[in-house]
Amino acid sequence: KRIGEEARLRKISAAAIRALGESQQKGGGWTYLPSLGQRGSGDSSISFVTAAVILALRDAGVPKDSPLLRKSAECLERMRLKDGSYSYFPGDGTASPRGAAGRTPVCALALDRDVPGALDIYFRHREGLRKEMGKTLMHTGAEGQGSHYLLFDYAMAARALDPGRTDIRRALLEDVLSAGAGGGSFLDSPVLGRPVAMA
């Protein structure tokens, strides 16, 4: 089903891609906190933001070998830890699989690297994420987890999910339904305002 005039949508898409190129951090990724400037490491890229942008650019048809995607993949690769999880920022040596459980599937998917292992990390540590559901303060979990990105984490884990992994599929469905706010809407963090509604 068409959602708009193709020529106009291509123009908007090209403008969005240019804007992403202009907002790319020195280290190759993207951030949702531009106020950080360039952190002490010289890079304020954030792993899961970078991963989501990589996926969006690929969905928009940007070739994987383009300088934009190559540089961002290199940035994300630098945030990959030995255990297969991903740090929040480059050079953050304090990350643990438990604290990184939510962001790891989207990062692995963006790099096409050990997505099954990333989903296993999510599955093993999902209870720590769920304990943050509904809290108003952010990053208060034992490993820095927060409620304000749970629905994003669930959506990205679902995108990475192999349909054959019924164990993770059931767990993910349970996690999403636990965020139900009534009337077909969902809410992970009350401080962010209105719930997300299902169409």
Side-chain angles (χ1 to χ4, degrees):
K1 184 176 176 180
R2 293 183 177 272
I3 57 170
E5 184 186 338
E6 186 176 348
R8 182 170 177 270
L9 292 174
R10 285 187 184 280
K11 188 175 178 182
I12 291 169
S13 179
I17 291 167
R18 275 194 309 276
L20 285 168
E22 291 165 5
S23 63
Q24 191 173 30
Q25 300 291 296
K26 274 195 276 189
W30 286 271
T31 183
Y32 67 85
L33 288 170
S35 61
L36 284 176
Q38 297 297 322
R39 295 172 61 249
S41 66
D43 189 0
S44 55
S45 300
I46 295 174
S47 58
F48 59 91
V49 176
T50 300
V53 173
I54 288 172
L55 292 173
L57 288 170
R58 284 178 15 198
D59 287 348
V62 175
K64 276 188 177 182
D65 62 351
S66 69
L68 185 64
L69 279 178
R70 196 170 55 247
K71 187 177 178 185
S72 57
E74 289 167 0
C75 173
L76 192 54
E77 186 64 50
R78 288 192 299 274
M79 290 187 261
R80 187 173 192 275
L81 304 173
K82 288 178 184 177
D83 57 29
S85 64
Y86 291 78
S87 63
Y88 203 95
F89 294 111
D92 177 10
T94 63
S96 71
R98 187 172 18 178
R103 63 181 170 262
T104 291
V106 69
C107 293
L109 184 63
L111 288 177
D112 295 319
R113 182 164 178 178
D114 192 18
V115 176
L119 286 165
D120 284 337
I121 289 172
Y122 164 79
F123 185 64
R124 278 196 311 272
H125 302 291
R126 60 186 266 268
E127 289 302 326
L129 286 171
R130 276 187 60 180
K131 286 179 182 174
E132 298 308 299
M133 184 70 67
K135 291 185 179 179
T136 54
L137 292 178
M138 300 177 186
H139 295 296
T140 57
E143 302 287 333
Q145 307 98 318
S147 63
H148 55 296
Y149 48 69
L150 291 179
L151 290 173
F152 173 84
D153 288 344
Y154 297 159
M156 293 296 106
R159 181 171 175 173
L161 188 59
D162 175 342
R165 290 297 306 267
T166 55
D167 55 342
I168 296 178
R169 196 165 112 216
R170 278 194 301 269
L172 190 53
L173 178 60
E174 184 182 301
D175 291 343
V176 170
L177 293 177
S178 74
S185 65
F186 297 82
L187 182 69
D188 50 11
S189 175
V191 76
L192 295 179
R194 297 181 62 185
V196 177
M198 285 181 67

